[in-house]
Amino acid sequence: MTSLAPTTPLAQTTHAIELAGVAKRYDSAPAPALGPLDLAVAQGEALAITGPSGSGKSTLLNLVAGLDRPTEGTVTVAGQRIDRLSEHALARFRRERIGMVFQFFNLLDDLTVADNIQLPAQLTGTARRRTAARAGELMEVLGIQKHARAYPGRLSGGERQRVAVARALVNRPALLLADEPTGALDTASGQDVRELLVDLHRGGQTIVLVTHDLALAQACASRTIHLVDGHLALDTTVEAVR
Ligand SMILES: Nc1ncnc2c1ncn2[C@@H]1O[C@H](COP(=O)(O)OP(=O)(O)OP(=O)(O)O)[C@@H](O)[C@H]1O
Ligand SMILES: [Mg+2]
């Protein structure tokens, strides 16, 4: 008999991220490093992931970034289910939709600041002039314009991280992901990066931030989840970022 049931409606989600029944077990490990867990993150939310070392924070971030795949469950990011994508499609998804910032910046030392920032846009085939304009705008906003022609090795840690943030934002990603972005910075530079993240959140950017630094979580995040042994131990939303 032909079913008259409507076809599955398109996901009318306002969620930037939806994890359903997600677990990640590494190779021969006896238990999953993460999950199983469900998590939905709204667009415009700034989510901090905290928890002790080994609790699964980076594992969770990497699943959302499409850098790794779950062993169970589904991962939907910016309306797209990514856990079953081919490597090629996943690489494209990451280039176009995800901006990522790491503890140790991961800049290319042989490229100038401006070229580092422009690289992700060049990889997506954006016109050169538009890319240069976007990079210029970001450098100005982030206060690194004067270093455009310098090489990253000449910059302070805080300046390098601002370059990394500019690079992460050049393609206007749906999601900005950061894994311990202040972990390698001195207090003053950490404070700069913190303020930068607060500004980005106020501007509507969806952010997921992994940090050991509770002050950073409190300052930047509208919501904090705390992981213990790969499970959600706490999930707190604050009314407004101060
Ligand atoms: N590639 C991998 N292969 C095998 N085990 C891994 C791998 N990556 C992480 N793990 C294990 O999974 C668990 C969670 O690791 P994860 O890196 O997600 O923790 P974390 O919360 O980010 O820790 P940290 O705060 O130290 O960065 C740990 O037990 C870790 O040893
Ligand atoms: Mg980690």
Side-chain angles (χ1 to χ4, degrees):
M1 191 179 112
T2 315
S3 167
L4 294 176
T7 51
T8 315
L10 284 175
Q12 300 213 321
T13 176
T14 55
H15 287 142
I17 302 169
E18 269 187 279
L19 307 186
V22 163
K24 174 68 186 179
R25 191 165 65 85
Y26 288 106
D27 304 324
S28 53
L34 183 75
L37 58 80
D38 299 322
L39 178 70
V41 178
Q43 274 174 25
E45 208 159 42
L47 176 74
I49 305 172
T50 62
S53 188
S55 59
K57 304 183 297 295
S58 296
T59 299
L60 176 52
L61 201 71
N62 290 342
L63 292 176
V64 171
L67 287 168
D68 208 348
R69 293 172 198 274
T71 35
E72 278 174 45
T74 62
V75 179
T76 306
V77 177
Q80 187 172 10
R81 177 140 173 225
I82 62 164
D83 52 281
R84 293 270 183 79
L85 289 180
S86 67
E87 284 305 319
H88 180 76
L90 206 52
R92 181 174 168 175
F93 163 82
R94 282 196 302 267
R95 275 201 309 269
E96 293 179 354
R97 310 298 279 148
I98 301 289
M100 203 153 176
V101 177
F102 302 91
Q103 181 171 4
F104 296 107
F105 327 123
N106 294 15
L107 297 171
L108 296 175
D109 288 333
D110 297 337
L111 295 184
T112 64
V113 162
D115 287 343
N116 263 283
I117 295 169
Q118 290 179 33
L119 192 59
Q122 280 163 3
L123 293 174
T124 58
T126 310
R128 245 190 140 68
R129 201 189 298 167
R130 262 183 67 193
T131 301
R134 171 74 175 150
E137 174 191 303
L138 284 165
M139 286 190 286
E140 198 168 322
V141 171
L142 300 184
I144 46 176
Q145 185 73 273
K146 57 181 177 293
H147 301 302
R149 287 163 187 274
Y151 290 87
R154 290 291 186 88
L155 306 187
S156 73
E159 288 164 346
R160 282 185 224 193
Q161 198 58 300
R162 278 183 274 157
V163 175
V165 171
R167 180 185 56 180
L169 295 175
V170 75
N171 287 335
R172 304 180 195 277
L175 267 183
L176 177 66
L177 306 179
D179 198 342
E180 299 282 4
T182 61
L185 302 179
D186 60 58
T187 314
S189 304
Q191 179 66 26
D192 286 350
V193 169
R194 184 191 300 184
E195 282 166 15
L196 172 57
L197 292 173
V198 171
D199 284 347
L200 289 170
H201 173 46
R202 286 201 181 119
Q205 178 71 51
T206 309
I207 301 173
V208 181
L209 164 79
V210 165
T211 184
H212 278 104
D213 181 351
L214 290 180
L216 177 68
Q218 266 171 5
C220 302
S222 51
R223 177 179 173 198
T224 300
I225 60 173
H226 188 73
L227 291 180
V228 175
D229 294 335
H231 293 285
L232 277 178
L234 205 69
D235 186 343
T236 359
T237 302
V238 295
E239 286 296 313
V241 179
R242 56 164 187 86

